[in-house]
Amino acid sequence: MANLIPFRGVLYNPASVGDIAKVVAPPYDIIDAAGQAALHERHPNNVIRIELGLDEPGDGPGRNRYTRAASLLRDWLATGALTRDPAPAIYPYQIDYQAPGAGPGEGRRVLKGFLSTVELAEFGTGHIYPHENTRSAAKADRMELLSACRANVSPIFSLFSDPEGGVLALIDKSIDADRPRFDFQDDTGCRQRLWTIDDPSVLKTLTDALKPKPLFIADGHHRYETALAYRRHRRQEAGLPAAGGLHPFDSVLMLFSSLEDPGLTVLPTHRVLTTPVPPLADIKRLLGETCDIEAIPRQQFLRTLRSRGQAAPVFGLALRGEAALLLLSVKPSHRPKAGASERDKLDVSLLQTLVINRLCPNESDQHALIYTKDDQEALDLVAQGKATASLLLNPTKVAEVRAVAQAGERMPHKSTYFFPKPLTGLVINVMPE
């Protein structure tokens, strides 16, 4: 089902740019304005100048950050800051990181995967499954960049099932673990390592092993849908049929990792309210029909939320002006019934219907929600008076993501945060003309 296509990756040349850590960047969608400016200042060849360029006075249809990105990409290839590998390859990639919430020296994990291009497949074909809805503004931005640069600068993050570990074991056997191509520490303290495999026999074994496996998009839905739209546009432009033949625009850059990889972490995305909420007595009345409400001291709160959440849907609620934190345990009468859709079984869906819709009945209040993956930030924003309330969730399980995707459903907005995320600029797919 997954048609893996080894490719001639475009990579930074350390002899030209120096420290690789100074030219890569986090995914564009987690970079704020200050981070964007800092990356522009960090190095003249930082990939942010392509992936998320700055607007300039006088910009218009013929001159803008997208046309500047395309020009920079061409220039960096011409000057040798970027070089294209001589043979098709896949790129094993490992991120050694500390799990969020773990104490110093605890919770070290290693996410293993590899970068390659893969043939695009329309959703609903049983080849590649999404799990989240997308928004049009983000896709329009990515389409402008893809059309100008004709390159995938950041990989889509996808997962495949490999319960026996055969795929990653083959990769481990095919690399010299002590001699990565790149090996550096990023801004967050993660150790980033990248290798290259261009042995045709190994590549064939890998592509054959991936063929029967469906792929589940963990992160990068906007970029994947943009790649699909770009392919349709290019085929129509060239007078090609919708399918048949394989052209450079028929594939997209992905990071492939295993659903069963113990190095994969899924973080919850908590909801932070910034608009007025009812007083505590009214909240207990509003939510008492659907949830059992229990006050929990802060030092025990997160541990209790996690442990109780193993057996039943449980949420946390912090309120401005209230010292105790509340645990909201969904009553059995309001838990999903047999035959409920996979989407409706999710904690995040229950939180929306049973809690948020009652606390924030106005659409404008829900649009004002802030999202964070950080447990302490969610609590601190309320304690510091910067938010009126925070709703904390337990992480969505990888198996739940797979079940929703295979059922052809989409998860609610901001349901998952897969961690760690692959860096932008380690390997670029520049489409041959």
Side-chain angles (χ1 to χ4, degrees):
M1 293 185 184
N3 184 20
L4 202 68
I5 306 172
F7 72 115
R8 294 176 58 202
V10 169
L11 291 83
Y12 278 105
N13 176 11
S16 175
V17 301
D19 186 359
I20 296 298
K22 295 190 180 300
V23 293
V24 294
Y28 80 99
D29 55 355
I30 63 171
I31 299 173
D32 60 17
Q36 182 188 20
L39 288 166
H40 273 80
E41 291 296 321
R42 175 172 291 183
H43 195 287
N45 296 116
N46 190 282
V47 73
I48 196 71
R49 296 171 180 269
I50 295 174
E51 182 75 344
L52 194 62
L54 294 169
D55 293 321
E56 296 181 0
D59 279 354
R63 177 185 179 275
N64 50 56
R65 59 191 177 99
Y66 307 111
T67 60
R68 284 191 291 275
S71 178
L72 284 172
L73 182 58
R74 290 192 299 268
D75 289 348
W76 295 354
L77 281 165
T79 60
L82 292 170
T83 58
R84 189 189 293 272
D85 277 350
I90 64 102
Y91 299 86
Y93 181 33
Q94 294 184 13
I95 308 174
D96 183 320
Y97 67 101
Q98 182 158 319
E106 299 176 359
R108 296 299 300 186
R109 300 179 185 177
V110 179
L111 177 70
K112 294 185 176 182
F114 64 94
L115 294 155
S116 177
T117 58
V118 66
E119 184 178 1
L120 289 157
E122 295 286 346
F123 294 147
T125 63
H127 295 245
I128 298 176
Y129 293 89
H131 75 270
E132 281 191 351
N133 288 313
T134 56
R135 297 185 173 182
S136 57
K139 286 185 285 189
D141 165 64
R142 293 298 93 183
M143 177 61 89
E144 292 274 10
L145 184 66
L146 180 56
S147 298
C149 294
R150 300 195 172 191
N152 308 133
V153 184
S154 58
I156 292 157
F157 189 178
S158 70
L159 302 169
F160 61 91
S161 185
D162 187 30
E164 306 301 323
V167 172
L168 294 183
L170 174 62
I171 289 174
D172 285 344
K173 287 193 304 183
S174 304
I175 62 173
D176 184 342
D178 296 326
R179 298 183 64 187
R181 187 166 178 175
F182 297 150
D183 186 351
F184 62 93
Q185 183 169 294
D186 68 17
D187 292 345
T188 63
C190 297
R191 183 184 181 186
Q192 304 273 349
R193 285 177 290 175
L194 185 83
W195 294 261
T196 301
I197 296 176
D198 57 11
D199 183 324
S201 63
V202 176
L203 296 179
K204 183 179 187 313
T205 302
L206 280 171
T207 55
D208 289 346
L210 264 290
K211 274 199 187 304
K213 297 181 182 292
L215 301 175
F216 301 91
I217 297 177
D219 196 36
H221 289 79
H222 291 97
R223 281 167 284 154
Y224 190 84
E225 290 190 20
T226 297
L228 287 173
Y230 180 69
R231 179 183 67 168
R232 290 191 289 267
H233 169 72
R234 289 293 303 276
R235 281 185 166 270
Q236 184 178 29
E237 186 180 57
L240 297 170
L246 197 59
H247 301 269
F249 47 78
D250 289 318
S251 62
V252 71
L253 178 64
M254 276 192 179
L255 168 65
F256 301 82
S257 191
S258 168
L259 282 161
E260 295 81 14
D261 185 356
L264 177 66
T265 297
V266 185
L267 302 175
T269 303
H270 309 304
R271 276 65 173 150
V272 180
L273 285 64
T274 57
T275 51
V277 296
L280 179 57
D282 289 346
I283 287 176
K284 288 183 175 180
R285 178 180 54 80
L286 284 169
L287 304 182
E289 176 191 346
T290 59
C291 298
D292 292 319
I293 303 174
E294 179 183 358
I296 303 287
R298 179 161 178 159
Q299 62 269 26
Q300 302 171 15
F301 178 70
L302 291 173
R303 184 171 63 253
T304 306
L305 177 68
R306 299 287 180 255
S307 61
R308 299 267 188 94
Q310 297 300 312
V314 177
F315 314 116
L317 174 60
L319 292 169
R320 187 165 64 189
E322 298 290 338
L325 303 171
L326 302 179
L327 204 67
L328 311 178
S329 301
V330 177
K331 293 180 177 181
S333 58
H334 285 79
R335 296 175 194 169
K337 303 295 189 293
S341 72
E342 298 297 337
R343 175 190 167 104
D344 290 344
K345 295 176 186 176
L346 299 170
D347 281 10
V348 68
S349 297
L350 293 171
L351 179 73
Q352 182 68 41
T353 56
L354 302 180
V355 179
I356 292 178
N357 288 349
R358 296 178 183 223
L359 294 183
C360 304
N362 298 322
E363 190 173 334
S364 59
D365 292 343
Q366 296 196 21
H367 283 312
L369 289 173
I370 297 172
Y371 301 91
T372 177
K373 66 182 186 300
D374 189 310
D375 299 334
Q376 294 302 328
E377 182 182 31
L379 297 174
D380 290 345
L381 285 170
V382 175
Q384 295 165 3
K386 298 176 181 177
T388 53
S390 288
L391 290 160
L392 286 81
L393 297 101
N394 284 305
T396 302
K397 299 176 180 64
V398 174
E400 293 174 325
V401 175
R402 175 169 52 184
V404 169
Q406 287 182 319
E409 300 171 345
R410 300 289 184 99
M411 298 177 76
H413 183 56
K414 297 288 186 182
S415 298
T416 56
Y417 191 98
F418 285 89
F419 188 89
K421 295 184 182 294
L423 290 177
T424 295
L426 273 180
V427 183
I428 301 172
N429 172 39
V430 179
M431 301 174 194
E433 291 297 329

